[in-house]
Amino acid sequence: MLTRLPWWLAALVLLGIWAAISALASSDYRVILAAVARGLGVTLSVSLVAYTASLLLGLGLGLFRTSPLRVAREAATFYVELVRGLPMLVILYYIAFVGAPALAAALNAALKPLIDRGLATPVETRNLGFAARAVIALTLGYSAFIAEIFRAGIESVDRGQVEAALALGLSRGQVMRTIVLPQATRNVLPALANEFIAIIKDSALVSALGVQDITQLGKVYAASTFKFFETYNAVAFFYLCLTVSLSLLVRAMERRLKAGGSR
Amino acid sequence: MSAFIEIRGARRVFRASGERRGMADTIALDGIDLDVETGEVVVIIGPSGSGKSTLLRVVNRLERLDEGEIRIEGELVTSPRADLRRLREEVGMVFQSFNLFSHLCVLDNLTLAPRLVRGLTRGEAETRALSILKRVGLADKAARYPRELSGGQQQRAAIARALAMEPKALLFDEPTSALDPEMIREVLDVMKGLAAEGMTMLVVSHEMGFAREAADRVVFMDEGRVVESGSPEELFGHPREARTRAFLQHVL
């Protein structure tokens, strides 16, 4: 029994208990946890919105990557290689300080007839919030990884089943929708869930833009009180609660998929 | 009146390029002429690599033809403008490795194409599917998933899936080659039943017993060519060509 117990999990739970006891015993920790917790909503909403958007964009790119159309394939590959080759932090700065003004200029150009008639006001870059810019950047970055996961999933589907479906008279679109994508998605579900865990962690990068997520609030609090140890303990505690529970969920999912047999 | 399937001068070469770089070009089909009449059962035999499977695959255009023509019910299906989906609605195919849709239960395997392609409602498609499953002896397996069935049951379900489209002809690509010996019979029995009912069938098989019993005509292929063809009695009893004799000696 003792040998089958997952020791890593036991150790993490003990760490959590120790953190809880310290928090209850010290008023310092209670103040810090409360201060940092105000960033939880931002961390979660940035992660969720960016993840949902990058799933959609990634699925589209993944379909392009496996398209019989060469133009689509090459364009998607270009995008994926370009984005995957850049550090996430650089993408973030790029979107925030280069992409956002460009986007505002493009919008203004598109809306020019309306603006000239006084029907719309010009978009100003500073009205495009840094949280929104951060979400766009994370979406663009993660869609490249998710596209590769979808591509692998699509390619993992038995070619014979595709031929059987074509031989029954289904169109390519119908084959993709009813045969390939259901099986591909099922096969890559754990990998997609892992990307959500990754995006939660990378959402900390938005603190570089001053967006008030857990990390940013911790940074500000620590700098003003010099309680670096306690503050970053609190920050780590919040991230671990999110990521470890999700990672346990992924494990359960993998076990179920394996038991069900994906083929 | 023209034949149901007419193959004229069919030629298909697999070029040694891409992933096949460094290998010699393979001439899979080297000028094949073959007719299959409505209601006829034609069994193609021959050594592996003789182009039998490729021939089936070009008939419903899973593989393209480099030269030659194929007509089905007089309609040219090898032209680039041919309506492949209509062709495939009318000509069903059964594969060596069954290729059932693994994420769907047997019933859904049978109803998918009739609903999407023929426009049947779910109710209509299920009624039809259940009566076909009964015919192939799988009425009690409708709710099962392919992985829960034996190989023989899977292949019978795959035949039922093709039948659910009510095709005018069926192509069988070595339907029993992936099966354990004790399961071959149950699949062959279903095929014999179809042959007796007058289904037009083009069958690639190594089952000489089936060819003898069910075929109207047996075709012997080697190196991408039709070496000889005739009634089972002629071909098995009095083969004219030395290559046919050598092959039959080997397998019988």
Side-chain angles (χ1 to χ4, degrees):
Chain A
M1 189 61 208
L2 201 63
T3 48
R4 283 183 53 199
L5 187 83
W7 286 25
W8 64 269
L9 185 57
L12 274 174
V13 169
L14 282 178
L15 193 67
I17 292 171
W18 172 75
I21 291 171
S22 333
L24 288 175
S26 116
S27 59
D28 268 5
Y29 266 122
R30 281 203 295 277
V31 174
I32 296 169
L33 282 171
V36 175
R38 283 187 291 117
L40 209 54
V42 171
T43 292
L44 279 176
S45 55
V46 163
S47 305
L48 263 173
V49 175
Y51 183 65
T52 311
S54 55
L55 273 184
L56 293 175
L57 186 55
L59 175 60
L61 285 166
L63 288 172
F64 270 40
R65 283 277 273 156
T66 52
S67 162
L69 233 72
R70 178 152 183 202
V71 189
R73 231 170 34 235
E74 301 276 354
T77 310
F78 172 79
Y79 177 86
V80 167
E81 292 302 333
L82 183 82
V83 171
R84 280 201 312 178
L86 290 169
M88 192 59 82
L89 188 58
V90 173
I91 298 177
L92 206 68
Y93 283 141
Y94 200 86
I95 295 300
F97 302 120
V98 185
L103 187 70
L107 270 174
N108 288 336
L111 295 174
K112 194 165 189 310
L114 291 176
I115 294 166
D116 288 347
R117 295 198 190 95
L119 292 170
T121 45
V123 182
E124 285 188 50
T125 310
R126 66 180 137 86
N127 291 341
L128 203 61
F130 276 107
R133 299 185 205 185
V135 166
I136 294 172
L138 283 174
T139 299
L140 293 180
Y142 269 80
S143 63
F145 294 108
I146 286 173
E148 285 303 273
I149 291 174
F150 273 118
R151 181 185 61 80
I154 289 167
E155 284 171 356
S156 77
V157 174
D158 177 18
R159 181 73 209 146
Q161 290 184 36
V162 174
E163 286 192 341
L166 289 173
L168 284 165
L170 272 71
S171 68
R172 292 209 163 264
Q174 287 173 330
V175 175
M176 187 50 83
R177 193 162 51 78
T178 61
I179 306 299
V180 177
L181 282 183
Q183 295 190 49
T185 310
R186 195 187 143 93
N187 290 346
V188 300
L189 223 48
L192 288 178
N194 277 327
E195 288 304 300
F196 184 55
I197 298 175
I199 216 169
I200 287 179
K201 291 186 289 176
D202 271 354
S203 74
L205 290 170
V206 306
S207 64
L209 299 179
V211 177
Q212 305 231 313
D213 74 326
I214 299 177
T215 306
Q216 175 66 12
L217 290 178
K219 201 163 78 181
V220 170
Y221 189 88
S224 62
T225 59
F226 297 103
K227 289 184 179 132
F228 289 98
F229 179 73
E230 293 86 346
T231 306
Y232 283 110
N233 275 347
V235 169
F237 174 77
F238 281 119
Y239 281 114
L240 283 173
C241 282
L242 293 173
T243 52
V244 173
S245 56
L246 281 168
S247 146
L248 287 175
L249 218 67
V250 174
R251 275 158 190 271
M253 191 154 70
E254 275 174 339
R255 259 200 305 276
R256 257 198 58 198
L257 283 179
K258 218 176 262 173
S262 54
R263 282 262 162 107
Chain B
M1 176 68 197
S2 58
F4 185 84
I5 303 174
E6 282 179 274
I7 304 170
R8 291 287 173 274
R11 198 177 145 80
R12 177 81 177 104
V13 180
F14 293 112
R15 301 269 167 223
S17 64
E19 53 193 74
R20 294 166 53 82
R21 193 179 301 278
M23 291 159 74
D25 288 357
T26 311
I27 302 169
L29 301 177
D30 193 8
I32 301 264
D33 296 319
L34 182 68
D35 283 356
V36 181
E37 303 292 335
T38 304
E40 197 181 18
V41 176
V42 175
V43 175
I44 306 174
I45 60 171
S48 57
S50 57
K52 310 182 297 284
S53 292
T54 308
L55 185 63
L56 280 198
R57 293 168 59 83
V58 296
V59 169
N60 78 347
R61 289 289 308 274
L62 283 177
E63 199 82 64
R64 68 184 170 79
L65 214 52
D66 293 316
E67 285 170 41
E69 283 183 4
I70 296 176
R71 285 174 194 278
I72 291 182
E73 292 189 296
E75 218 169 296
L76 189 65
V77 300
T78 40
S79 95
R81 287 185 313 280
D83 186 349
L84 289 190
R85 294 188 60 188
R86 250 213 59 217
L87 151 74
R88 289 164 174 167
E89 282 176 50
E90 305 303 339
V91 180
M93 183 148 184
V94 175
F95 300 85
Q96 179 176 352
S97 48
F98 328 136
N99 297 346
L100 289 171
F101 307 133
S102 55
H103 62 306
L104 300 177
C105 69
V106 170
L107 188 66
D108 290 343
N109 263 277
L110 266 70
T111 56
L112 181 75
R115 287 170 58 201
L116 287 178
V117 182
R118 294 267 200 228
L120 266 60
T121 65
R122 180 184 283 273
E124 291 166 345
E126 286 185 353
T127 311
R128 185 192 282 185
L130 287 171
S131 87
I132 293 169
L133 282 176
K134 205 157 145 193
R135 196 159 122 206
V136 301
L138 291 175
D140 55 330
K141 305 290 185 203
R144 294 303 183 89
Y145 282 84
R147 63 175 175 275
E148 299 169 331
L149 305 183
S150 73
Q153 290 168 337
Q154 286 191 47
Q155 192 60 298
R156 281 186 286 149
I159 295 173
R161 178 178 64 182
L163 288 175
M165 286 295 285
E166 300 189 331
K168 293 180 179 159
L170 281 178
L171 310 171
F172 291 83
D173 187 7
E174 303 200 21
T176 57
S177 296
L179 294 176
D180 291 335
E182 69 267 27
M183 291 171 183
I184 292 177
R185 171 184 286 275
E186 62 189 58
V187 171
L188 291 182
D189 284 346
V190 169
M191 292 170 61
K192 282 177 203 163
L194 289 172
E197 285 166 29
M199 174 65 79
T200 307
M201 290 162 64
L202 183 54
V203 183
V204 168
S205 182
H206 294 296
E207 292 297 321
M208 299 303 152
F210 173 80
R212 226 186 258 277
E213 241 183 277
D216 297 310
R217 198 145 50 90
V218 180
V219 174
F220 174 65
M221 272 181 71
D222 194 17
E223 294 182 341
R225 294 195 188 139
V226 172
V227 177
E228 74 174 288
S229 79
S231 70
E233 298 78 41
E234 285 168 5
L235 200 114
F236 290 118
H238 317 282
R240 292 188 306 274
E241 302 287 330
R243 264 193 291 173
T244 317
R245 279 197 293 275
F247 174 75
L248 289 175
Q249 240 161 33
H250 218 77
V251 295
L252 290 182

